[in-house]
Amino acid sequence: MSTKRFYSSRFYLVRVFVLAVFVSHFFACSKSYEEGKTVIGNKAMVVTAHPEASRVGIEVLENGGNAIDAMVAVHFALAVVYPAAGNIGGGGFMIYRPVDGEVSSLDFREKAPLAAFEEMYQDENGEIIDGLSLAGPMASGVPGSVDGMIQAHKKYGSVPLKELIAPAYKLAKKGFYITEKQAKNYNRYKSVFIEQNQDSTNIPLVRFDRKWQEGDLLVQQDLASTLKRIQDNGRDGFYKGETAQLLVAEMKAGNGIIELEDMAKYEAKWRTPITGEYRGLKVYSMGPPSSGGIALMQLLKMSAHFPLGDLGFHQAKTIHLMTEMERRVYADRAKHLGDSDFWDVPKDDLLDDGYLKSRVDEIHLTNATDSEQVLAMNFDHQESEETTHYSIVDANGNAVSVTTTINSGYGSKVFVTGAGFLMNNEMDDFSSKPGVPNVYGLLGGKANAIQPEKRMLSAMTPTILEKDGELFMVVGTPGGSTIITSVYQTILNVVDHGMDMREAVSSARVHHQWKPNFIFPEKGGLEETTKSALEEMGHTIKERGSIGRVDAILVNEKGLLEGAGDPRGDDWAAGF
Ligand code: DON
């Protein structure tokens, strides 16, 4: 079995050393937790996309807060320190496993505004208007993050909300030091921000004097004021009053359709998680309006028919079988999945053992199936830094898995003037027209057509696994259409290929999504011989940039917590 590490140990050690020097310089040595790319903890762990957010979370846990308290603090902190995806202008999903109770899931996905309609991104000839669902005010759904955090906190939190938002407020007000990756990213997006905003002089991420550099201080005064309004007024500090008025004014200044009524009506929803078994483990993941849980469970249930561990990690046969399963699962997704409040999702049929076995039986062991038409579309992603996932375990063993997004990097690119936050471009996750792929190449139809107040279909897959009734893994990732296959692979890496959390997270990923009909490995991730063998089976390989940023926690055989932040980003674990 090849367990070649995509991101080598040396790479880790150098980065960890450099970051550790950076960290110790700014933060005196009084802390009693460990932090780094990968960390072993006895009791508690927080893994997020940014060191500052991980610190905020672990400090809440150190001071006796629970996993939900840490989640709230992390979520608001990410809105400040990770504006590419951390947000209050977007939405997401949470899976929560209390140590002594039922697993629950919360849907705080954005909703289509009341004035939305099915053809809103088409011209008079029925053609899609390029970019309309992706950039600018019309691309935004009604944000759900703030209500999601507040609802979860009301039900399970133990520390006052105001205290949990305080670290984020401070990071916005006093500033924080940006990383090298962030500096590069802000410089890269400068012209886009200027183009998409009425007044670029107040955009915190745009600097006119010189280019951003690593270690620059980023201060966000308007965002601090918005956070203060939420601290003081809770839900109403965002969905009513000044923040809502500023948001609606920003929408109206462009072609946006979100009104005060949309804001006032928004409510996150508690949903029944998708549950299932994989090789004796119990899996909990997110149901509609995310496709993640159903698709992941379909993949795992089909995988149980194959000895993937014996076939070997990244061996041609293994990748072939995974590809064939993925092809079928993404075809089901396109047809059957949408917001279950509006569309009858045949969940039981899709997860039926007999049905999945019949799909497995269709798979030829050495020949690729044709995905019918291969779409000619540009799938050459830049590094994907959009969306973000965080995993948390508290000292009592409560675990929370959250994936949140404003969709593509920096969402609609529109900052709410005076309120300092970015709005999402989540409307692109709807199927704007049957047969026309979204930005991730995903197809859809009626099930995911636009309707007022409907939630757009997501691929986000926050997941928690149990072994023998105890917590086993907390996992999730960004990556658009690749989210489902990245979570799937991380689980296989541990369960079938015997990897620890760090190796499972750092190993190269390979993706297939039915259409376009390519196997997408990360560049350099597969051996030449493996690629040739796959081509001989009839597959077409198209290498691409990095896939996903998995932030995960594993309870290992000694009962210790292995926290792993993805080496592809600034992701960071902190634990004690
Ligand atoms: O909900 C979804 O599936 C997408 N809006 C997620 C976007 C995403 O992960 C972008 N990250 N690379």
Side-chain angles (χ1 to χ4, degrees):
M1 178 179 77
S2 154
T3 51
K4 173 173 146 295
R5 258 184 222 146
F6 189 54
Y7 288 84
S8 70
S9 326
R10 183 183 293 176
F11 172 87
Y12 262 111
L13 290 177
V14 172
R15 282 187 58 89
V16 168
F17 178 74
V18 171
L19 278 160
V21 171
F22 181 80
V23 165
S24 59
H25 181 73
F26 287 105
F27 298 89
C29 319
S30 59
K31 67 183 172 59
S32 53
Y33 58 86
E34 299 293 324
E35 59 179 321
K37 275 288 173 197
T38 49
V39 168
I40 303 288
N42 283 306
K43 289 181 165 174
M45 187 70 63
V46 177
V47 194
T48 82
H50 198 282
E52 292 286 1
S54 298
R55 276 178 213 126
V56 163
I58 203 72
E59 278 166 18
V60 168
L61 297 182
E62 269 197 320
N63 294 330
N66 64 29
I68 294 291
D69 296 322
M71 171 191 84
V72 174
V74 162
H75 198 100
F76 284 103
L78 281 169
V80 178
V81 300
Y82 194 60
N87 68 82
I88 52 176
F93 300 103
M94 173 198 88
I95 300 285
Y96 176 55
R97 180 186 183 276
V99 72
D100 52 2
E102 290 281 293
V103 174
S104 59
S105 70
L106 182 62
D107 158 11
F108 52 99
R109 179 73 160 167
E110 300 92 325
K111 289 172 75 169
L114 288 158
F117 58 99
E118 194 169 332
E119 298 89 13
M120 65 187 275
Y121 298 113
Q122 300 175 20
D123 65 16
E124 59 279 11
N125 301 319
E127 300 298 327
I128 292 292
I129 305 169
D130 224 18
L132 202 56
S133 64
L134 275 173
M138 209 170 155
S140 297
V142 185
S145 283
V146 174
D147 194 56
M149 290 303 115
I150 289 175
Q151 283 209 36
H153 178 260
K154 261 195 194 124
K155 199 159 172 183
Y156 299 113
S158 69
V159 175
L161 184 70
K162 202 170 183 159
E163 283 179 36
L164 297 174
I165 302 177
Y169 172 77
K170 193 169 158 203
L171 285 162
K173 182 95 189 151
K174 304 255 185 240
F176 72 98
Y177 299 103
I178 64 171
T179 66
E180 185 191 355
K181 281 194 167 65
Q182 290 184 301
K184 279 194 185 142
N185 232 293
Y186 302 162
N187 292 330
R188 195 169 76 198
Y189 276 88
K190 179 176 173 180
S191 55
V192 184
F193 290 141
I194 291 173
E195 189 188 325
Q196 290 299 337
N197 286 273
Q198 318 278 331
D199 176 8
S200 49
T201 51
N202 280 323
I203 299 178
L205 301 190
V206 172
R207 75 183 292 161
F208 290 96
D209 56 341
R210 63 165 169 79
K211 287 193 165 184
W212 287 103
Q213 285 162 10
E214 179 182 5
D216 279 344
L217 190 71
L218 173 60
V219 176
Q220 299 171 85
Q221 294 293 356
D222 288 343
L223 180 55
S225 306
T226 300
L227 292 169
K228 178 87 175 43
R229 286 192 289 277
I230 302 170
Q231 279 185 303
D232 292 344
N233 304 307
R235 190 197 133 89
D236 287 354
F238 185 79
Y239 291 95
K240 290 188 175 164
E242 192 175 342
T243 313
Q245 280 156 11
L246 288 167
L247 188 154
V248 170
E250 186 66 51
M251 297 295 100
K252 291 209 161 141
N255 48 9
I257 55 172
I258 298 178
E259 299 280 354
L260 287 173
E261 191 186 353
D262 288 301
M263 293 295 284
K265 277 188 91 172
Y266 184 87
E267 273 186 8
K269 278 193 150 181
W270 295 94
R271 308 259 185 200
T272 310
I274 298 294
T275 53
E277 294 228 342
Y278 180 59
R279 304 205 200 276
L281 302 170
K282 187 133 194 212
V283 182
Y284 299 91
S285 195
M286 193 68 217
S290 181
S291 60
I294 290 179
L296 174 68
M297 227 32 259
Q298 285 189 306
L299 286 169
L300 291 174
K301 281 182 158 201
M302 289 162 93
S303 298
H305 292 278
F306 300 105
L308 296 178
D310 295 342
L311 291 174
F313 174 69
H314 277 187
Q315 297 303 300
K317 240 188 183 155
T318 316
I319 305 272
H320 165 72
L321 291 172
M322 290 165 72
T323 299
E324 292 304 320
M325 292 186 265
E326 288 164 356
R327 193 194 305 282
R328 285 158 178 82
V329 165
Y330 277 80
D332 277 346
R333 180 193 191 275
K335 177 150 187 208
H336 296 296
L337 288 171
D339 181 351
S340 50
D341 290 347
F342 288 74
W343 182 261
D344 192 11
V345 175
K347 177 187 132 225
D348 294 340
D349 294 333
L350 290 168
L351 292 176
D352 179 72
D353 291 332
Y355 167 64
L356 291 170
K357 175 70 171 59
S358 72
R359 293 291 250 179
V360 162
D361 290 343
E362 288 166 26
I363 296 174
H364 193 283
L365 293 183
T366 50
N367 288 347
T369 325
D370 187 6
S371 284
E372 294 163 309
Q373 318 138 343
V374 177
L375 298 186
M377 57 141 327
N378 184 2
F379 211 77
D380 292 331
H381 285 272
Q382 298 269 4
E383 256 185 90
S384 76
E385 285 185 274
E386 313 94 340
T387 303
T388 190
H389 177 85
Y390 51 92
S391 296
I392 297 175
V393 177
D394 71 20
N396 291 320
N398 303 301
V400 67
S401 184
V402 174
T403 315
T404 180
T405 190
I406 42 179
N407 195 20
S408 45
Y410 306 97
S412 65
K413 324 293 187 268
V414 175
F415 287 85
V416 176
T417 309
F421 64 90
L422 276 157
M423 283 296 285
N424 66 80
N425 60 349
E426 220 73 63
M427 292 295 282
D428 189 65
D429 274 351
F430 278 118
S431 173
S432 296
K433 189 180 168 186
V436 177
N438 75 358
V439 72
Y440 304 106
L442 289 168
L443 293 164
K446 266 279 173 229
N448 191 30
I450 304 171
Q451 281 177 258
E453 296 202 85
K454 187 173 171 182
R455 287 161 156 99
M456 53 297 280
L457 184 62
S458 174
M460 291 189 279
T461 314
T463 298
I464 293 181
L465 283 86
E466 263 175 18
K467 188 179 190 175
D468 303 328
E470 305 284 338
L471 180 66
F472 181 61
M473 197 194 296
V474 187
V475 60
T477 183
S481 57
T482 67
I483 290 175
I484 297 161
T485 56
S486 294
V487 171
Y488 168 56
Q489 286 170 85
T490 308
I491 294 172
L492 294 190
N493 286 350
V494 172
V495 179
D496 294 79
H497 302 302
M499 296 184 196
D500 62 18
M501 195 75 270
R502 180 179 77 163
E503 198 176 0
V505 165
S506 59
S507 294
R509 301 191 182 111
V510 181
H511 173 71
H512 192 284
Q513 61 179 51
W514 173 51
K515 291 180 184 180
N517 187 8
F518 298 116
I519 293 180
F520 294 102
E522 286 182 302
K523 206 162 267 155
L526 288 183
E527 304 284 356
E528 289 305 320
T529 46
T530 309
K531 287 191 282 185
S532 311
L534 285 164
E535 278 162 355
E536 267 170 35
M537 292 179 190
H539 295 286
T540 310
I541 314 276
K542 199 170 175 190
E543 291 199 323
R544 53 161 283 177
S546 73
I547 298 179
R549 302 276 166 85
V550 176
D551 286 343
I553 303 170
L554 180 72
V555 183
N556 69 18
E557 277 168 6
K558 295 181 189 146
L560 297 173
L561 300 172
E562 295 179 12
D566 201 313
R568 295 161 181 81
D570 290 324
D571 305 59
W572 201 244
F576 60 84

